[in-house]
Amino acid sequence: MEPIEQKTATELVAQRLMGLLSTGALKPGDRLPPERDLARQLDVGRTTVREALKLLTLSGLLEAKRGDGTYVTRNFYNFLSNQIKWPLLLNVTEVDRIVEVREALEAKAAFLAARRATPEEIEKICVFQQLLEIEGRDLERETEIDLKFHHAIARASHNELLCRLMLSLQDILREYITLSNQYTERIESTVAEHQAIYDAIASRNPKEAEQAMIEHLAISKTWILKAIDREIGTRET
């Protein structure tokens, strides 16, 4: 049996503050209450609060401004993705984990978007059609359009926490999508996959939208695995 994990008061306070960040009760740029107020609200000593704030500041979630207080860092949404480094992506196990996370978030987002999207939001999901306007291949533009497509679906889900989670993964998603697009042989195939997702959402078919997203992510995974094979081959030669 695994031993019971013991947490200090400092760690518990830090977790409580991180919970406020993840739910949006505290937003990027917000100023935290003074230490004495936090200590009173959380029923702990000021030293415990001070150590928790120091821990979160060192982690990059908070920013201490001398004489002005402690603020939520402006790039809070990039905090999680900044912890995931590019070399980890070139590993089959990590790819599996990323796909599992994307499927959990994005298949559900497509399902909910098919139920909840407004006509204006459905129109924004059409951004993927801009891929057909690109002459030849433009990897940077393809990736940005792809990201806009996936984020438009997340927003159309009308689940704010899901959107925040997607934003927290934006940097790793950009790297993932860039690599996938780099090895995708025909941009038209990507457009067709996106079209299937869009059609299901526009026709208000949650199950089809969910399945179309799962299939799209599975195809993307095959391109990533091909990229890994080529990268490994390059290293071995």
Side-chain angles (χ1 to χ4, degrees), residues 128-146:
F128 72 92
Q129 294 180 348
Q130 294 178 12
L131 290 169
L132 296 174
E133 300 172 4
I134 301 174
E135 294 184 6
R137 298 297 300 269
D138 183 333
L139 197 57
E140 183 176 352
R141 189 177 175 201
E142 289 172 23
T143 298
E144 289 306 316
I145 292 171
D146 210 324

Side-chain angles (χ1 to χ4, degrees), residues 102-148:
R102 289 195 69 187
E103 187 173 306
L105 290 174
E106 299 192 57
K108 188 63 175 181
F111 181 94
L112 294 174
R115 285 185 168 179
R116 301 172 178 173
T118 65
E120 293 77 16
E121 288 168 338
I122 290 175
E123 185 176 346
K124 288 180 180 179
I125 296 172
C126 276
V127 67
F128 72 92
Q129 294 180 348
Q130 294 178 12
L131 290 169
L132 296 174
E133 300 172 4
I134 301 174
E135 294 184 6
R137 298 297 300 269
D138 183 333
L139 197 57
E140 183 176 352
R141 189 177 175 201
E142 289 172 23
T143 298
E144 289 306 316
I145 292 171
D146 210 324
L147 277 170
K148 287 180 181 179

Side-chain angles (χ1 to χ4, degrees), residues 14 20 59 96 128 178 190 228:
L20 296 176
S59 299
D96 286 338
F128 72 92
T178 297
T190 300
I228 292 175

